[in-house]
Amino acid sequence: QVELVDSGGGLVQAGGSLRLSCAASGRTFSNYAIGWFRQAPGKEREFVAAISWSGGRTYYADSVKGRFTISRDNAKNTAYLQMNSLKFEDTAVYSCAAAFDGSSSYVSEYDYWGQGTQVTVSS
């Protein structure tokens, strides 16, 4: 079992920045790839970014490429999502997730989920 706690969301103006954190406890954090997903009201959950267990490989949705950066610190059992140049359309609940089988953009590939943190971007 891996428990994930998301934090760092909030209200920010368009063009601003936020850093989300995903703190893990339980099984060995470094055994899992980490993904960030988001869900806006009335929309399906969508992939944002993922990072391999070692941090050596990262993947991004086209909509956030160049603006968001995913990272992890295995010594601290924590993953991060740095979000810059935020846009109104980035408004959503953001959740991190852990996958034992490797990085993926598919929701179904992830084994454990955080509770989510709200990000609201005002235009």
Side-chain angles (χ1 to χ4, degrees), residues 4-10 20-23 35-39 45 92-97 112-119:
L4 303 173
V5 178
D6 309 311
S7 63
L20 306 184
S21 297
C22 174
W36 283 96
F37 292 79
R38 66 187 182 186
Q39 188 168 20
R45 183 175 286 176
V93 175
Y94 285 70
S95 301
C96 68
Y112 303 101
W113 290 83
Q115 83 286 359
T117 184
Q118 176 71 47
V119 171

Side-chain angles (χ1 to χ4, degrees), residues 30-78:
S30 59
N31 286 346
Y32 293 82
I34 297 296
W36 283 96
F37 292 79
R38 66 187 182 186
Q39 188 168 20
K43 295 187 177 181
E44 292 188 356
R45 183 175 286 176
E46 66 173 357
F47 170 74
V48 175
I51 188 167
S52 62
W53 64 270
S54 68
R57 286 175 291 179
T58 57
Y59 309 88
Y60 297 94
D62 288 343
S63 59
V64 306
K65 203 170 293 184
R67 300 188 297 122
F68 291 11
T69 303
I70 189 171
S71 62
R72 66 189 298 161
D73 184 340
N74 286 342
K76 295 183 178 180
N77 289 347
T78 303

